[in-house]
Amino acid sequence: EPEVTQTPSHQVTQMGQEVILRCVPISNHLYFYWYRQILGQKVEFLVSFYNNEISEKSEIFDDQFSVERPDGSNFTLKIRSTKLEDSAMYFCASRRDRVDTEAFFGQGTRLTVV
Amino acid sequence: AQTVTQSQPEMSVQEAETVTLSCTYDTSESDYYLFWYKQPPSRQMILVIRQEAYKQQNATENRFSVNFQKAAKSFSLKISDSQLGDAAMYFCAYRSVMNRDDKIIFGKGTRLHILP
């Protein structure tokens, strides 16, 4: 069964460093998303991406964040100059098309900023 | 803006018994989707069940069923014959049908414990 794949599963980084979280969505999917879950809190929307551009972004998704689909298969989330409060689980999700109701989630990347 | 509220941070149920998780939401839209996601200790988000708001019939997936009350904006999840593998965090979620606003809005979750 096709699935969304995220790498790495766990990333530890020093405060102020840049990190890139990687996702491989399901191959025929067109809509891509990043969500964040701070430990013990709810899952929050960060950004949606369609047709090589951002469709919507939340207030959390400030200039520190960027997304890219560099090669037609990977979908990356870059966090510049990480802060302690960026420590969270980051989930990638994809959806096939606009009439499809279900978004498939990856297993998440746990980011720890020290 | 839409909101999703889960008022039960934690619940426990005896194995083989039935449990109902509550969820309410707020929206001004007339058509939308509602979901229940399960997050086991592995932290992966797994879709349990979904409901289209225009459908009056409550969705059912094996031991999982919902009670969708559109007027009351209530969307509860019933798990029958609870099993140890059902222990997880359960998130109620909302998504607009409008294509430009397709983000999923999650509640804070209910942690479900299954007692052997």
Side-chain angles (χ1 to χ4, degrees), chain A residues 31 33 35 37 39 42-43 45 48 55-56 89 91 95 98 100-103 105-107 110, chain B residues 4 33 35 37 39 42-45 47 50 52 91 95 99-104 106-109:
Chain A
Y31 294 81
Y33 311 85
Y35 291 83
Q37 184 184 29
L39 186 63
K42 67 177 176 180
V43 180
F45 168 77
S48 58
S55 308
E56 186 181 0
M89 196 78 168
F91 291 100
R95 188 160 63 93
R98 67 181 182 87
D100 194 21
T101 59
E102 182 175 356
F105 283 79
Q107 291 164 305
R110 184 186 301 276
Chain B
V4 177
Y33 305 113
F35 308 90
Y37 281 89
Q39 188 182 42
S42 66
R43 303 297 296 272
Q44 186 167 8
M45 298 291 286
L47 179 67
R50 64 172 156 243
E52 288 93 342
F91 292 97
R95 183 166 79 80
N99 193 49
R100 293 294 294 176
D101 184 15
D102 62 349
K103 63 181 177 291
I104 298 173
F106 290 88
K108 289 188 175 181

Side-chain angles (χ1 to χ4, degrees), chain A residues 19-23 34-35 46-47 61 65-68 75-79 90-91:
Chain A
V19 294
I20 297 176
L21 309 184
R22 303 182 191 280
C23 170
W34 283 101
Y35 291 83
L46 290 178
V47 66
F61 195 88
F65 295 89
S66 62
V67 289
E68 197 176 37
F75 179 51
T76 62
L77 174 69
K78 182 190 290 185
I79 310 175
Y90 288 81
F91 291 100

